[in-house]
Amino acid sequence: MSISIKARKAAGGHDTPALPLEEARARILSAVEPLNGEETVNLHAALHRVLAEPVAAAIDVPAHTNSAMDGYAMRGEDVSEPGSELTLVGESFAGRPFQARVEPGQCIRIMTGAVVPDGTDTVIMQEQAERDGDSVRFTKAAKTGANVRPAGEYLAAGETALKPGRWLTAADLGVLASVGVPQVKVLRKPRVAFFSTGDELKPVGQTLAPGQIHDSNRYTLFGMLTELGVEIEDMGIVPDQREALDEALQKASKCDAVLSTGGASVGDADFVVEALEKLGNVGFWQVAMKPGRPLAFGKIGQAWFFGLPGNPVSAMVTFLQLVRPALVRLAGATPMLPVQMRLPVTGAIRKKPGRREFQRGRFIQDEKGLSVSPFGHQGSGVLRSMSEADCLINLGPEVGDVAAGEDVMVEAFAQPVWNGA
Ligand code: AMP
Ligand code: MG
């Protein structure tokens, strides 16, 4: 970096322009490369891990030709017209197949998921059948093949069930189990160290002295990182001292990524960027967004470094916008960038054009459809606004005041984190 961090701080951080958000994200994603290393894990341990190799179905899915309905199985040609009657000779339940062959003129009772027996090709739902002892009369003509799910219809044995690069979801675990695969090869988990900086911070559970606050960022980060499936190393609270910060950064540099919060701004007790400049490389510092301007990105040792702002809302917003996609890429999957939708806003929003602003919002679903309601208190220290919100209203640099009823860009907190397209 040509201009030293000290000089930039002395100028209030405004001597070089803050990066637009898209550029910051593009720079991070082009720098970060997927990790090397694989391991084989059981399905329970595979949740939110990234698949390392294609997984082929070990068996046909479904494994046997089975019924999609509760009803009766027969030859379709035996019920070629309404009112046909067949002799009931047995039953097939899921997991308890009918053992014999069904002959012409016969039918069996069959349940959903039960094996469709030899000699039959069709299932008629029970609502179209009238049973009288051993005789069953069908009110409608059959369509041969109806309500039958052939073996291997979804996946034949040997076919690829899942491709590498997937960030495995709950549904994927179910798919793996259904195709008879109890273990999978996954990429190594990124190891992510994180710490909070600030002389005012006290761990929760300890009494606050005057001027102190509880460290909440390590809890929001713990939650967001755990949801991503990375391995975490909580390094605690680091005071606002260069030596302590240097020591923490050195120690953390053995991980794959390091996240700090606080101390990345232009105050007299903000040493994070200086320390990064001395011990590693500053990729960029400051992003043109509110909240979240004092964000530093760089490298220290083998670790990617993200210096997040200390304000609790800013730390979460920058994590979602910039760190989560980077960690998904590091883990070996293609990140899904924030998914955007345009929705009418329920109330007016005041904003000056010039920089990007994220406001917390709530989805409102009513008889008029979906809209978004801006959360009242938008201060970057108001963590409750994140807890009550379920989305961000993303107001671009060109946007000024917005009137109630106008459309705004909205990004849900809960969205796919990886892109399988
Ligand atoms: P900083 O980025 O260090 O200037 O901090 C900005 C604001 O965020 C200050 O009001 C800090 O007290 C607050 N803050 C910093 N770190 C944390 C944390 N870990 N938990 C809660 N608040 C924090
Ligand atoms: Mg601080």
Side-chain angles (χ1 to χ4, degrees):
M1 173 169 281
S2 49
I3 306 169
S4 82
I5 295 298
K6 268 217 163 85
R8 286 192 67 186
K9 279 178 66 176
H14 296 287
D15 57 319
T16 45
L19 278 189
L21 173 63
E22 295 81 359
E23 194 182 331
R25 190 152 50 208
R27 282 215 210 168
I28 290 172
L29 291 180
S30 67
V32 172
E33 300 257 334
L35 294 174
N36 291 318
E38 297 172 352
E39 61 177 319
T40 298
V41 296
N42 292 330
L43 293 192
H44 281 138
L47 184 67
H48 299 170
R49 303 293 299 272
V50 177
L51 199 57
E53 60 181 14
V55 177
I59 52 167
D60 279 342
V61 182
H64 48 260
T65 299
N66 71 98
S67 176
M69 290 277 178
D70 293 328
Y72 296 88
M74 74 293 294
R75 279 173 184 70
E77 65 192 62
D78 286 353
V79 188
S80 57
E81 53 195 45
S84 302
E85 275 189 39
L86 300 177
T87 306
L88 186 68
V89 295
E91 56 192 23
S92 181
F93 281 77
R96 276 188 284 133
F98 180 69
Q99 300 292 357
R101 199 183 154 75
V102 178
E103 301 299 335
Q106 297 180 339
C107 68
I108 61 152
R109 180 90 173 103
I110 195 164
M111 306 304 159
T112 303
V115 175
V116 171
D118 285 349
T120 69
D121 55 18
T122 303
V123 170
I124 295 179
M125 63 168 96
Q126 61 194 28
E127 290 78 1
Q128 294 173 10
E130 293 160 8
R131 186 171 162 187
D132 182 7
D134 282 350
S135 170
V136 188
R137 183 176 172 276
F138 297 96
T139 53
K140 289 189 179 159
K143 252 198 248 138
T144 296
N147 304 319
V148 172
R149 303 187 283 215
E153 181 182 30
Y154 308 141
L155 271 175
E159 249 183 274
T160 300
L162 297 179
K163 294 196 190 119
R166 281 192 86 82
W167 184 81
L168 296 168
T169 62
D172 294 332
L173 300 192
V175 168
L176 290 165
S178 73
V179 302
V181 174
Q183 292 186 322
V184 283
K185 205 176 254 184
V186 293
L187 296 173
R188 182 167 78 76
K189 269 187 195 186
R191 278 184 61 213
V192 182
F194 60 104
F195 57 86
S196 298
T197 72
D199 286 342
E200 75 280 32
L201 301 177
K202 258 278 160 79
V204 63
Q206 295 185 16
T207 310
L208 297 179
Q212 294 186 324
I213 60 169
H214 287 304
D215 172 11
S216 59
N217 288 343
R218 271 190 307 131
Y219 287 87
T220 52
L221 284 180
F222 162 84
M224 293 188 296
L225 290 167
T226 302
E227 282 174 359
L228 267 188
V230 299
E231 194 176 313
I232 56 175
E233 191 170 329
D234 183 342
M235 293 179 59
I237 298 170
V238 176
D240 289 320
Q241 293 161 8
R242 257 305 292 277
E243 306 76 56
L245 207 51
D246 285 3
E247 197 183 311
L249 282 176
Q250 296 276 21
K251 199 171 148 218
S253 67
K254 292 180 189 69
C255 290
D256 301 302
V258 183
L259 277 51
S260 68
T261 67
S265 195
V266 293
D268 293 342
D270 295 334
F271 300 119
V272 166
V273 194
E274 278 172 53
L276 176 65
E277 193 179 40
K278 185 183 144 225
L279 300 173
N281 298 301
V282 181
F284 62 78
W285 173 47
Q286 296 193 325
V287 179
M289 62 191 271
K290 182 189 170 188
R293 179 180 169 95
L295 178 112
F297 169 67
K299 198 158 194 191
I300 174 155
Q302 57 162 23
W304 297 104
F305 175 80
F306 300 87
L308 307 184
N311 269 314
V313 174
S314 316
M316 288 192 83
V317 171
T318 48
F319 180 91
L320 294 175
Q321 292 294 320
L322 294 163
V323 183
R324 185 164 75 175
L327 295 180
V328 170
R329 174 145 173 78
L330 192 62
T334 305
M336 180 71 106
L337 301 186
V339 175
Q340 301 186 322
M341 58 195 112
R342 286 191 77 79
L343 293 178
V345 67
T346 59
I349 298 176
R350 295 192 64 79
K351 174 182 176 288
K352 281 203 239 63
R355 74 171 154 189
R356 185 172 301 280
E357 217 174 289
F358 288 96
Q359 298 216 353
R360 271 67 67 211
R362 270 201 82 82
F363 289 116
I364 305 286
Q365 177 77 56
D366 59 18
E367 63 288 348
K368 284 182 284 180
L370 195 59
S371 55
V372 63
S373 156
F375 189 74
H377 200 324
Q378 292 284 346
S380 57
V382 188
L383 195 49
R384 255 194 73 215
S385 73
M386 282 301 281
S387 145
E388 305 240 321
D390 46 23
C391 57
L392 291 175
I393 303 173
N394 179 345
L395 304 162
E398 71 291 351
V399 177
D401 288 346
V402 180
E406 280 186 55
D407 282 354
V408 288
M409 198 65 91
V410 179
E411 302 172 0
F413 292 161
Q415 65 154 64
V417 300
W418 80 283
N419 188 340

